[in-house]
PDB file of all heavy atoms in Angstrom:
ATOM      1  N   HIS A 235     269.212-107.626  66.137  1.00 98.00           N
ATOM      2  CA  HIS A 235     267.787-107.310  66.082  1.00 98.00           C
ATOM      3  C   HIS A 235     267.495-106.153  67.028  1.00 98.00           C
ATOM      4  O   HIS A 235     267.819-106.197  68.217  1.00 98.00           O
ATOM      5  CB  HIS A 235     266.961-108.544  66.475  1.00 98.00           C
ATOM      6  CG  HIS A 235     265.481-108.344  66.325  1.00 98.00           C
ATOM      7  ND1 HIS A 235     264.693-107.886  67.344  1.00 98.00           N
ATOM      8  CD2 HIS A 235     264.666-108.537  65.258  1.00 98.00           C
ATOM      9  CE1 HIS A 235     263.438-107.809  66.920  1.00 98.00           C
ATOM     10  NE2 HIS A 235     263.397-108.191  65.663  1.00 98.00           N
ATOM     11  N   ASN A 236     266.875-105.106  66.502  1.00 97.00           N
ATOM     12  CA  ASN A 236     266.738-103.849  67.243  1.00 97.00           C
ATOM     13  C   ASN A 236     265.992-104.019  68.567  1.00 97.00           C
ATOM     14  O   ASN A 236     266.442-103.520  69.613  1.00 97.00           O
ATOM     15  CB  ASN A 236     266.026-102.817  66.366  1.00 97.00           C
ATOM     16  CG  ASN A 236     265.948-101.456  67.030  1.00 97.00           C
ATOM     17  OD1 ASN A 236     266.974-100.873  67.376  1.00 97.00           O
ATOM     18  ND2 ASN A 236     264.733-100.953  67.216  1.00 97.00           N
ATOM     19  N   LYS A 237     264.848-104.710  68.562  1.00 97.00           N
ATOM     20  CA  LYS A 237     264.064-104.834  69.797  1.00 97.00           C
ATOM     21  C   LYS A 237     264.797-105.686  70.834  1.00 97.00           C
ATOM     22  O   LYS A 237     264.745-105.401  72.035  1.00 97.00           O
ATOM     23  CB  LYS A 237     262.677-105.425  69.489  1.00 97.00           C
ATOM     24  CG  LYS A 237     261.768-104.468  68.736  1.00 97.00           C
ATOM     25  CD  LYS A 237     260.429-105.094  68.434  1.00 97.00           C
ATOM     26  CE  LYS A 237     259.532-105.165  69.654  1.00 97.00           C
ATOM     27  NZ  LYS A 237     259.100-103.838  70.130  1.00 97.00           N
ATOM     28  N   TYR A 238     265.474-106.722  70.379  1.00 98.00           N
ATOM     29  CA  TYR A 238     266.249-107.543  71.316  1.00 98.00           C
ATOM     30  C   TYR A 238     267.387-106.719  71.914  1.00 98.00           C
ATOM     31  O   TYR A 238     267.609-106.749  73.132  1.00 98.00           O
ATOM     32  CB  TYR A 238     266.795-108.779  70.612  1.00 98.00           C
ATOM     33  CG  TYR A 238     267.529-109.725  71.537  1.00 98.00           C
ATOM     34  CD1 TYR A 238     266.847-110.745  72.193  1.00 98.00           C
ATOM     35  CD2 TYR A 238     268.895-109.597  71.767  1.00 98.00           C
ATOM     36  CE1 TYR A 238     267.508-111.611  73.058  1.00 98.00           C
ATOM     37  CE2 TYR A 238     269.566-110.453  72.628  1.00 98.00           C
ATOM     38  CZ  TYR A 238     268.872-111.461  73.261  1.00 98.00           C
ATOM     39  OH  TYR A 238     269.532-112.318  74.124  1.00 98.00           O
ATOM     40  N   LYS A 239     268.093-105.971  71.066  1.00 98.00           N
ATOM     41  CA  LYS A 239     269.214-105.154  71.558  1.00 98.00           C
ATOM     42  C   LYS A 239     268.723-104.103  72.550  1.00 98.00           C
ATOM     43  O   LYS A 239     269.395-103.837  73.566  1.00 98.00           O
ATOM     44  CB  LYS A 239     269.938-104.468  70.400  1.00 98.00           C
ATOM     45  CG  LYS A 239     271.193-103.706  70.850  1.00 98.00           C
ATOM     46  CD  LYS A 239     271.919-103.063  69.691  1.00 98.00           C
ATOM     47  CE  LYS A 239     273.256-102.475  70.158  1.00 98.00           C
ATOM     48  NZ  LYS A 239     273.079-101.464  71.240  1.00 98.00           N
ATOM     49  N   ASN A 240     267.572-103.504  72.276  1.00 98.00           N
ATOM     50  CA  ASN A 240     267.036-102.512  73.210  1.00 98.00           C
ATOM     51  C   ASN A 240     266.780-103.133  74.582  1.00 98.00           C
ATOM     52  O   ASN A 240     267.049-102.516  75.623  1.00 98.00           O
ATOM     53  CB  ASN A 240     265.743-101.912  72.662  1.00 98.00           C
ATOM     54  CG  ASN A 240     265.986-100.969  71.505  1.00 98.00           C
ATOM     55  OD1 ASN A 240     267.115-100.513  71.296  1.00 98.00           O
ATOM     56  ND2 ASN A 240     264.944-100.671  70.745  1.00 98.00           N
ATOM     57  N   ASN A 241     266.249-104.351  74.594  1.00 98.00           N
ATOM     58  CA  ASN A 241     266.009-105.040  75.860  1.00 98.00           C
ATOM     59  C   ASN A 241     267.323-105.391  76.549  1.00 98.00           C
ATOM     60  O   ASN A 241     267.440-105.269  77.777  1.00 98.00           O
ATOM     61  CB  ASN A 241     265.178-106.302  75.622  1.00 98.00           C
ATOM     62  CG  ASN A 241     263.694-106.023  75.547  1.00 98.00           C
ATOM     63  OD1 ASN A 241     262.987-106.026  76.550  1.00 98.00           O
ATOM     64  ND2 ASN A 241     263.222-105.755  74.337  1.00 98.00           N
ATOM     65  N   PHE A 242     268.294-105.858  75.764  1.00 98.00           N
ATOM     66  CA  PHE A 242     269.612-106.174  76.332  1.00 98.00           C
ATOM     67  C   PHE A 242     270.218-104.928  76.977  1.00 98.00           C
ATOM     68  O   PHE A 242     270.666-104.967  78.135  1.00 98.00           O
ATOM     69  CB  PHE A 242     270.534-106.711  75.238  1.00 98.00           C
ATOM     70  CG  PHE A 242     271.925-107.031  75.718  1.00 98.00           C
ATOM     71  CD1 PHE A 242     272.239-108.305  76.159  1.00 98.00           C
ATOM     72  CD2 PHE A 242     272.926-106.068  75.725  1.00 98.00           C
ATOM     73  CE1 PHE A 242     273.519-108.615  76.613  1.00 98.00           C
ATOM     74  CE2 PHE A 242     274.202-106.353  76.176  1.00 98.00           C
ATOM     75  CZ  PHE A 242     274.508-107.639  76.620  1.00 98.00           C
ATOM     76  N   ASP A 243     270.220-103.809  76.251  1.00 98.00           N
ATOM     77  CA  ASP A 243     270.823-102.574  76.767  1.00 98.00           C
ATOM     78  C   ASP A 243     270.080-102.080  78.009  1.00 98.00           C
ATOM     79  O   ASP A 243     270.707-101.654  78.988  1.00 98.00           O
ATOM     80  CB  ASP A 243     270.804-101.492  75.683  1.00 98.00           C
ATOM     81  CG  ASP A 243     271.752-101.787  74.532  1.00 98.00           C
ATOM     82  OD1 ASP A 243     272.626-102.663  74.704  1.00 98.00           O
ATOM     83  OD2 ASP A 243     271.601-101.165  73.470  1.00 98.00           O
ATOM     84  N   TYR A 244     268.755-102.138  77.975  1.00 98.00           N
ATOM     85  CA  TYR A 244     267.962-101.666  79.117  1.00 98.00           C
ATOM     86  C   TYR A 244     268.249-102.510  80.355  1.00 98.00           C
ATOM     87  O   TYR A 244     268.495-101.967  81.449  1.00 98.00           O
ATOM     88  CB  TYR A 244     266.473-101.711  78.769  1.00 98.00           C
ATOM     89  CG  TYR A 244     265.574-101.374  79.935  1.00 98.00           C
ATOM     90  CD1 TYR A 244     265.326-100.041  80.285  1.00 98.00           C
ATOM     91  CD2 TYR A 244     264.975-102.380  80.694  1.00 98.00           C
ATOM     92  CE1 TYR A 244     264.515 -99.730  81.367  1.00 98.00           C
ATOM     93  CE2 TYR A 244     264.159-102.068  81.772  1.00 98.00           C
ATOM     94  CZ  TYR A 244     263.938-100.743  82.108  1.00 98.00           C
ATOM     95  OH  TYR A 244     263.135-100.436  83.182  1.00 98.00           O
ATOM     96  N   ASN A 245     268.212-103.827  80.191  1.00 97.00           N
ATOM     97  CA  ASN A 245     268.430-104.700  81.348  1.00 97.00           C
ATOM     98  C   ASN A 245     269.868-104.602  81.856  1.00 97.00           C
ATOM     99  O   ASN A 245     270.108-104.649  83.073  1.00 97.00           O
ATOM    100  CB  ASN A 245     268.092-106.143  80.979  1.00 97.00           C
ATOM    101  CG  ASN A 245     266.605-106.339  80.759  1.00 97.00           C
ATOM    102  OD1 ASN A 245     265.782-105.697  81.400  1.00 97.00           O
ATOM    103  ND2 ASN A 245     266.245-107.219  79.837  1.00 97.00           N
ATOM    104  N   TYR A 246     270.813-104.483  80.937  1.00 97.00           N
ATOM    105  CA  TYR A 246     272.219-104.327  81.321  1.00 97.00           C
ATOM    106  C   TYR A 246     272.378-103.073  82.190  1.00 97.00           C
ATOM    107  O   TYR A 246     273.014-103.098  83.263  1.00 97.00           O
ATOM    108  CB  TYR A 246     273.066-104.226  80.055  1.00 97.00           C
ATOM    109  CG  TYR A 246     274.535-104.553  80.228  1.00 97.00           C
ATOM    110  CD1 TYR A 246     275.054-105.021  81.437  1.00 97.00           C
ATOM    111  CD2 TYR A 246     275.417-104.422  79.153  1.00 97.00           C
ATOM    112  CE1 TYR A 246     276.397-105.334  81.570  1.00 97.00           C
ATOM    113  CE2 TYR A 246     276.758-104.738  79.275  1.00 97.00           C
ATOM    114  CZ  TYR A 246     277.238-105.189  80.487  1.00 97.00           C
ATOM    115  OH  TYR A 246     278.566-105.509  80.617  1.00 97.00           O
ATOM    116  N   THR A 247     271.785-101.971  81.730  1.00 97.00           N
ATOM    117  CA  THR A 247     271.848-100.720  82.480  1.00 97.00           C
ATOM    118  C   THR A 247     271.169-100.867  83.840  1.00 97.00           C
ATOM    119  O   THR A 247     271.679-100.395  84.868  1.00 97.00           O
ATOM    120  CB  THR A 247     271.174 -99.594  81.680  1.00 97.00           C
ATOM    121  OG1 THR A 247     271.820 -99.456  80.414  1.00 97.00           O
ATOM    122  CG2 THR A 247     271.246 -98.276  82.441  1.00 97.00           C
ATOM    123  N   LEU A 248     270.024-101.539  83.850  1.00 96.00           N
ATOM    124  CA  LEU A 248     269.271-101.738  85.093  1.00 96.00           C
ATOM    125  C   LEU A 248     270.104-102.513  86.111  1.00 96.00           C
ATOM    126  O   LEU A 248     270.161-102.153  87.292  1.00 96.00           O
ATOM    127  CB  LEU A 248     267.977-102.483  84.779  1.00 96.00           C
ATOM    128  CG  LEU A 248     266.862-102.440  85.823  1.00 96.00           C
ATOM    129  CD1 LEU A 248     266.329-101.028  85.998  1.00 96.00           C
ATOM    130  CD2 LEU A 248     265.740-103.382  85.394  1.00 96.00           C
ATOM    131  N   TYR A 249     270.752-103.585  85.659  1.00 96.00           N
ATOM    132  CA  TYR A 249     271.551-104.389  86.577  1.00 96.00           C
ATOM    133  C   TYR A 249     272.740-103.593  87.126  1.00 96.00           C
ATOM    134  O   TYR A 249     273.098-103.706  88.304  1.00 96.00           O
ATOM    135  CB  TYR A 249     272.051-105.657  85.883  1.00 96.00           C
ATOM    136  CG  TYR A 249     270.947-106.591  85.444  1.00 96.00           C
ATOM    137  CD1 TYR A 249     271.115-107.416  84.340  1.00 96.00           C
ATOM    138  CD2 TYR A 249     269.735-106.654  86.128  1.00 96.00           C
ATOM    139  CE1 TYR A 249     270.108-108.284  83.924  1.00 96.00           C
ATOM    140  CE2 TYR A 249     268.726-107.510  85.723  1.00 96.00           C
ATOM    141  CZ  TYR A 249     268.921-108.320  84.617  1.00 96.00           C
ATOM    142  OH  TYR A 249     267.920-109.166  84.215  1.00 96.00           O
ATOM    143  N   ILE A 250     273.335-102.777  86.261  1.00 97.00           N
ATOM    144  CA  ILE A 250     274.480-101.976  86.702  1.00 97.00           C
ATOM    145  C   ILE A 250     274.042-100.926  87.725  1.00 97.00           C
ATOM    146  O   ILE A 250     274.651-100.779  88.796  1.00 97.00           O
ATOM    147  CB  ILE A 250     275.163-101.300  85.493  1.00 97.00           C
ATOM    148  CG1 ILE A 250     275.843-102.359  84.621  1.00 97.00           C
ATOM    149  CG2 ILE A 250     276.174-100.256  85.960  1.00 97.00           C
ATOM    150  CD1 ILE A 250     276.378-101.815  83.305  1.00 97.00           C
ATOM    151  N   LEU A 251     272.966-100.206  87.404  1.00 97.00           N
ATOM    152  CA  LEU A 251     272.501 -99.141  88.303  1.00 97.00           C
ATOM    153  C   LEU A 251     272.053 -99.694  89.654  1.00 97.00           C
ATOM    154  O   LEU A 251     272.262 -99.062  90.695  1.00 97.00           O
ATOM    155  CB  LEU A 251     271.352 -98.371  87.650  1.00 97.00           C
ATOM    156  CG  LEU A 251     271.723 -97.494  86.455  1.00 97.00           C
ATOM    157  CD1 LEU A 251     270.476 -96.859  85.861  1.00 97.00           C
ATOM    158  CD2 LEU A 251     272.719 -96.415  86.864  1.00 97.00           C
ATOM    159  N   ASN A 252     271.435-100.877  89.619  1.00 96.00           N
ATOM    160  CA  ASN A 252     270.940-101.477  90.867  1.00 96.00           C
ATOM    161  C   ASN A 252     271.978-102.373  91.541  1.00 96.00           C
ATOM    162  O   ASN A 252     271.669-103.040  92.523  1.00 96.00           O
ATOM    163  CB  ASN A 252     269.666-102.270  90.601  1.00 96.00           C
ATOM    164  CG  ASN A 252     268.512-101.375  90.224  1.00 96.00           C
ATOM    165  OD1 ASN A 252     268.452-100.220  90.647  1.00 96.00           O
ATOM    166  ND2 ASN A 252     267.588-101.887  89.427  1.00 96.00           N
ATOM    167  N   LYS A 253     273.192-102.380  90.947  1.00 96.00           N
ATOM    168  CA  LYS A 253     274.291-103.175  91.497  1.00 96.00           C
ATOM    169  C   LYS A 253     273.902-104.660  91.628  1.00 96.00           C
ATOM    170  O   LYS A 253     274.213-105.317  92.640  1.00 96.00           O
ATOM    171  CB  LYS A 253     274.753-102.615  92.840  1.00 96.00           C
ATOM    172  CG  LYS A 253     275.347-101.211  92.741  1.00 96.00           C
ATOM    173  CD  LYS A 253     275.820-100.714  94.085  1.00 96.00           C
ATOM    174  CE  LYS A 253     276.624 -99.433  93.961  1.00 96.00           C
ATOM    175  NZ  LYS A 253     275.903 -98.348  93.279  1.00 96.00           N
ATOM    176  N   VAL A 254     273.211-105.162  90.615  1.00 96.00           N
ATOM    177  CA  VAL A 254     272.847-106.584  90.582  1.00 96.00           C
ATOM    178  C   VAL A 254     274.026-107.366  89.997  1.00 96.00           C
ATOM    179  O   VAL A 254     274.449-107.102  88.867  1.00 96.00           O
ATOM    180  CB  VAL A 254     271.604-106.813  89.709  1.00 96.00           C
ATOM    181  CG1 VAL A 254     271.284-108.306  89.608  1.00 96.00           C
ATOM    182  CG2 VAL A 254     270.410-106.052  90.278  1.00 96.00           C
ATOM    183  N   PRO A 255     274.595-108.310  90.741  1.00 97.00           N
ATOM    184  CA  PRO A 255     275.693-109.108  90.187  1.00 97.00           C
ATOM    185  C   PRO A 255     275.231-109.823  88.915  1.00 97.00           C
ATOM    186  O   PRO A 255     274.137-110.400  88.883  1.00 97.00           O
ATOM    187  CB  PRO A 255     276.017-110.095  91.299  1.00 97.00           C
ATOM    188  CG  PRO A 255     275.500-109.450  92.553  1.00 97.00           C
ATOM    189  CD  PRO A 255     274.281-108.692  92.138  1.00 97.00           C
ATOM    190  N   HIS A 256     276.046-109.791  87.885  1.00 97.00           N
ATOM    191  CA  HIS A 256     275.648-110.381  86.614  1.00 97.00           C
ATOM    192  C   HIS A 256     276.881-110.727  85.792  1.00 97.00           C
ATOM    193  O   HIS A 256     277.988-110.281  86.084  1.00 97.00           O
ATOM    194  CB  HIS A 256     274.762-109.412  85.823  1.00 97.00           C
ATOM    195  CG  HIS A 256     275.443-108.120  85.491  1.00 97.00           C
ATOM    196  ND1 HIS A 256     275.487-107.064  86.362  1.00 97.00           N
ATOM    197  CD2 HIS A 256     276.131-107.739  84.374  1.00 97.00           C
ATOM    198  CE1 HIS A 256     276.157-106.067  85.807  1.00 97.00           C
ATOM    199  NE2 HIS A 256     276.574-106.455  84.608  1.00 97.00           N
ATOM    200  N   MET A 257     276.663-111.539  84.767  1.00 98.00           N
ATOM    201  CA  MET A 257     277.680-111.855  83.774  1.00 98.00           C
ATOM    202  C   MET A 257     277.094-111.548  82.402  1.00 98.00           C
ATOM    203  O   MET A 257     275.885-111.670  82.200  1.00 98.00           O
ATOM    204  CB  MET A 257     278.077-113.338  83.857  1.00 98.00           C
ATOM    205  CG  MET A 257     278.827-113.711  85.119  1.00 98.00           C
ATOM    206  SD  MET A 257     279.054-115.511  85.279  1.00 98.00           S
ATOM    207  CE  MET A 257     277.483-115.942  86.050  1.00 98.00           C
ATOM    208  N   ALA A 258     277.943-111.133  81.468  1.00 97.00           N
ATOM    209  CA  ALA A 258     277.470-110.779  80.135  1.00 97.00           C
ATOM    210  C   ALA A 258     278.499-111.199  79.096  1.00 97.00           C
ATOM    211  O   ALA A 258     279.697-111.246  79.382  1.00 97.00           O
ATOM    212  CB  ALA A 258     277.201-109.280  80.046  1.00 97.00           C
ATOM    213  N   ASN A 259     278.018-111.512  77.904  1.00 97.00           N
ATOM    214  CA  ASN A 259     278.926-111.857  76.810  1.00 97.00           C
ATOM    215  C   ASN A 259     278.633-111.066  75.540  1.00 97.00           C
ATOM    216  O   ASN A 259     279.150-111.387  74.475  1.00 97.00           O
ATOM    217  CB  ASN A 259     278.865-113.362  76.504  1.00 97.00           C
ATOM    218  CG  ASN A 259     277.521-113.781  75.936  1.00 97.00           C
ATOM    219  OD1 ASN A 259     276.583-112.973  75.840  1.00 97.00           O
ATOM    220  ND2 ASN A 259     277.406-115.045  75.555  1.00 97.00           N
ATOM    221  N   GLY A 260     277.776-110.053  75.653  1.00 96.00           N
ATOM    222  CA  GLY A 260     277.445-109.237  74.491  1.00 96.00           C
ATOM    223  C   GLY A 260     276.110-109.575  73.865  1.00 96.00           C
ATOM    224  O   GLY A 260     275.587-108.779  73.074  1.00 96.00           O
ATOM    225  N   CYS A 261     275.529-110.741  74.207  1.00 98.00           N
ATOM    226  CA  CYS A 261     274.221-111.079  73.645  1.00 98.00           C
ATOM    227  C   CYS A 261     273.274-111.703  74.663  1.00 98.00           C
ATOM    228  O   CYS A 261     272.103-111.929  74.360  1.00 98.00           O
ATOM    229  CB  CYS A 261     274.358-111.988  72.417  1.00 98.00           C
ATOM    230  SG  CYS A 261     275.104-113.597  72.743  1.00 98.00           S
ATOM    231  N   ILE A 262     273.764-111.989  75.865  1.00 98.00           N
ATOM    232  CA  ILE A 262     272.911-112.536  76.927  1.00 98.00           C
ATOM    233  C   ILE A 262     273.455-112.081  78.273  1.00 98.00           C
ATOM    234  O   ILE A 262     274.673-111.883  78.429  1.00 98.00           O
ATOM    235  CB  ILE A 262     272.842-114.087  76.859  1.00 98.00           C
ATOM    236  CG1 ILE A 262     271.700-114.639  77.731  1.00 98.00           C
ATOM    237  CG2 ILE A 262     274.166-114.689  77.247  1.00 98.00           C
ATOM    238  CD1 ILE A 262     270.335-114.406  77.165  1.00 98.00           C
ATOM    239  N   LEU A 263     272.561-111.896  79.224  1.00 98.00           N
ATOM    240  CA  LEU A 263     272.921-111.507  80.584  1.00 98.00           C
ATOM    241  C   LEU A 263     272.561-112.641  81.523  1.00 98.00           C
ATOM    242  O   LEU A 263     271.443-113.163  81.471  1.00 98.00           O
ATOM    243  CB  LEU A 263     272.162-110.247  80.987  1.00 98.00           C
ATOM    244  CG  LEU A 263     272.449-108.998  80.153  1.00 98.00           C
ATOM    245  CD1 LEU A 263     271.279-108.018  80.253  1.00 98.00           C
ATOM    246  CD2 LEU A 263     273.735-108.334  80.611  1.00 98.00           C
ATOM    247  N   LEU A 264     273.480-113.048  82.379  1.00 98.00           N
ATOM    248  CA  LEU A 264     273.233-114.106  83.351  1.00 98.00           C
ATOM    249  C   LEU A 264     273.172-113.505  84.745  1.00 98.00           C
ATOM    250  O   LEU A 264     274.087-112.770  85.148  1.00 98.00           O
ATOM    251  CB  LEU A 264     274.339-115.169  83.307  1.00 98.00           C
ATOM    252  CG  LEU A 264     274.141-116.353  82.359  1.00 98.00           C
ATOM    253  CD1 LEU A 264     274.096-115.885  80.912  1.00 98.00           C
ATOM    254  CD2 LEU A 264     275.244-117.376  82.559  1.00 98.00           C
ATOM    255  N   ILE A 265     272.085-113.799  85.474  1.00 98.00           N
ATOM    256  CA  ILE A 265     271.981-113.357  86.853  1.00 98.00           C
ATOM    257  C   ILE A 265     271.491-114.517  87.710  1.00 98.00           C
ATOM    258  O   ILE A 265     270.742-115.375  87.239  1.00 98.00           O
ATOM    259  CB  ILE A 265     271.044-112.135  87.023  1.00 98.00           C
ATOM    260  CG1 ILE A 265     269.612-112.487  86.647  1.00 98.00           C
ATOM    261  CG2 ILE A 265     271.545-110.960  86.221  1.00 98.00           C
ATOM    262  CD1 ILE A 265     268.614-111.411  87.045  1.00 98.00           C
TER     263      ILE A 265
END
Side-chain angles (χ1 to χ4, degrees):
H235 185 269
N236 185 58
K237 289 179 75 67
Y238 184 90
K239 185 179 187 302
N240 287 343
N241 277 271
F242 179 92
D243 291 345
Y244 174 82
N245 291 327
Y246 201 5
T247 302
L248 198 65
Y249 297 151
I250 291 172
L251 290 177
N252 292 331
K253 296 181 170 56
V254 176
H256 61 275
M257 292 172 275
N259 67 355
C261 63
I262 194 73
L263 298 157
L264 270 64
I265 64 169

